Amino acid sequence: MSNTTVSVPQASRLRLKIGPRQLLTAVFAAVGAGAVFLLFNAIIGGQCDSQCVIGTLNQSVRYAAPIALAAYCGLMCERAAVINIGIEGMMLMGSMVGYGVNVYAFTWMKQNGMDAATAGDISRALALGLAVVSSGLLALLHAVVSIRFKADQIISGTVINILAVGLTGYFYRQYLAQNIPPGPGTFPPFDIPLLGQIPLLGAIMFQGQKPIVYFMLVATLLIHYVLFYTPWGLRTRAVGENPRAADTLGVNVYRVRYINVLIGGLLAGFGGAWFTLEAVDVFNPQMTNGLGFIGLAAMIFGNWTPFGALAGALIFGLGNTINTTVSIFRPDIPSQIPQMLPYILTILVLTGFVGRAIPPAADGQPYEKQ
Amino acid sequence: MALASPPIASVRQTHGEATTTLQATGITKRFPGVLANDRVDFDLRQSEIHGLLGENGAGKTTLMNILYGLYQPDEGTIFLGGQPTQITSPHDAIAQGIGMVHQHFMLVPPLTVTENIILGQESLQPATRVLGRLSALDRRGAAARIRELSHQYGLDVDPDAYIKDLPVGAQQRVEIVKALYRRAEILILDEPTAVLTPQEADELFVIMQSLVRQGKSIIFITHKLREMFAVTDRISVMRGGKMVGTTTPKQATSEMLAEMMVGRKVILQIDKAPAHPGAVILRVDNLQAQDDRHAMTVHDASFEVREGEILGIAGVQGNGQRELVEALTGLRHVVAGKVELLSQDITHATPRAITELGVGHVPEDRHKHGLVLTFPVRDNLVLCTYYESPFARGLVINAAAIENEAQKLVKEFDIRTPSTDTLAGSLSGGNQQKVIVARELDRPVKLLIANQPTRGLDVGSIEFIHRRIVEARDRRTAVLLVSAELDEIMTLSDRIAVMYKGRILDTLAASDATREQLGLLMAGVKGGAHV
Ligand SMILES: Nc1ncnc2c1ncn2[C@@H]1O[C@H](COP(=O)(O)OP(=O)(O)O)[C@@H](O)[C@H]1O
Ligand SMILES: [Mg+2]
């Protein structure tokens, strides 16, 4: 009896199995989303028609991207038992580097006679690449400190957050605060050919989004495949649950952890680049605004699975979007109130779901080879 | 079991001239402050079961870890098939045909049997092989191979089950299949029977015999003498890091092996006068408690313990004993039911209230719950009473009184420690346990709850603690003894209750309980039917 009930969540962790539990969850989610919209519509005086609903959801997917990428960073690390609370700092670094490179590379190329359109494309791509690399370097630092030197991973993550605030703040004051040359702007949106035609879903997910959002969606599938269908994923999960067992079978625990933390850092870099290469064409100190931590909440909500984390990120994205829309339609409501929404959601989600979420058993423990 | 298996104790035909497959000579291994292996010689013949016997801490696991490449020896040579070799890592050991089933299983509970077995040697879908580590796993192919192996050697495993849903016996079979999957010719089984019921152990012996019949060679470690006689071809005994000698089951006797193991004559039975139970001290009614994952692991447990008797709770580890003891001592929330001590309801009492009512508790995990390892022996000896006179005067500790008490207990309980100032964490296991027993028995306790009181201890300490428990009983203390060691239960108890899946399946008088009867109950079989 108890055996069967226990094995169900496990099975769902492995495959996208559609069982009664999944159906129930889906029904709850749909009813919940409907209720949120009714409430939302009541607040803004019934001004949200179907077009507005689709628009709001489309916007939610956009806002979900950095949260989901932060969550994927967290889950790649924690599946290999390395806790990473430095995601916030990694994203901040990515967003600063992205912005700076975008603006200055563009200026340099134009000065050297390149036409604006080509220079814009190249500098945005370069900016994205370097944003990802810069975040990856911070991840490497975290990996060395916590894997090689076995330091406390929470402290290492905190140090990375502080370091990122300091470094980005410095570069901001030196180069990005005033007299910035005109840049090429953010990535332009585009539609995905066939997928964009899917009724409803196409308009929400695959129309008018920018590259990092699409990348996030692809990354969900890729991570799911890697974690649950490949030798690498099997080793990662084993290392996260029982590193000694993996070690006795000849799996190099340290290597698995290094690579996963590094991949996590790269994913966080994409999340960081989203802020300055997709959302807005400016950089502010601390503009990631805690989304890295909300990403961790989404990861926990999703029970350390990519699809679960995406669901969590979408909920937070929705909260964020609704808050923006409310402030447009109802300027009389103090903006602080809708702004609290994502954080209230975080608390609700964490209190409601954390009890059932089971982290990898070795999470946060440095591995001592005997 | 579908195998045409010979009776357990039958002696297999030993072929005239057996070849030596693995040999280790002069193995020395030092750990900080410990000489774990001291010039040990050991050899394993083709198709034999070689038993390795020794007390806890004798160095058996260390020697095996060296053969499996987990440790590098400081001195000594290993020969495989007559050739000197180096085993630099478990990976290397696997490549050279050595497989090991560790004392503590090396399994990943949330993964399936197949995933656990293929980990590190994954079979891949041919079409995706170009992707290397990122190619798709061939779970079905691997599962088929596992079924084949399990059929060939009579190891019943379900490739699709999750490890955490399997009983220990099945987990152990998975460990064996894991080694066979890697084409191990030599199998090291480190204390495989510690977690099994006697019947499960017998099933394992059948499997072991099937393995050697098909050409495998096995090193089998245990500290239970009975098992040595049941399956081995030869027996080697280790003591204090040294190899004491090698013999055969035909030449050896229990007394002789025990003496080799301990280094002196051992009395295998302890003298115990018949019990004279008096009034009921502890009454437990339909107790229910959950484990940390909120699974109900104690269901409707009901029993009573009387003054002047020892009630033993037998059962394979993990059948709710830990939660039961924690619920009784106030360390775990009682979901339902009632606990009465001396007719007082203590169901939801705090641990301190329960302690003050006269309950002594020797917890299962002496490092985590029995001692503050970073405190000196002295302080550990007054952990239950430090706030009372004479150890405290108001808010101030009376160091002199505590020191006096500590000196007295160290002498009385023969605690071998350099001083009362020594940290508890640096004592040997036996002396740590004596500190706990001293602390818990020095008070006027009405009820002593001892959970696995001698696990991992040397024979000397075991004898000492057993004697203290019987003495406490003779002083009219009620004793609740929980142990997974059937021998311990049978030696000490006056009545024996068997716990299975959170229930007290049956309670028997110790005088007429047999090992077979208890073993069946421990496996959940009552009156011929499985519950
Ligand atoms: N990794 C280690 N570090 C330090 N001491 C160890 C280590 N492993 C074992 N020992 C010590 O070596 C001795 C032998 O231990 P072990 O081989 O585990 O004995 P056995 O398996 O016979 O019970 C013990 O004193 C133990 O404390
Ligand atoms: Mg051992």
Side-chain angles (χ1 to χ4, degrees), chain B residues 61 103 190-191:
Chain B
T61 299
Q103 196 167 354
D190 193 355
E191 304 223 11

Side-chain angles (χ1 to χ4, degrees), chain A residues 370, chain B residues 31-32 34-37 54-63 71 103 190-191:
Chain A
Q370 11 209 4
Chain B
F31 291 115
V34 189
L35 188 55
N37 279 177
E55 288 205 82
N56 273 295
K60 309 179 296 289
T61 299
T62 303
L63 180 63
Y71 300 151
Q103 196 167 354
D190 193 355
E191 304 223 11

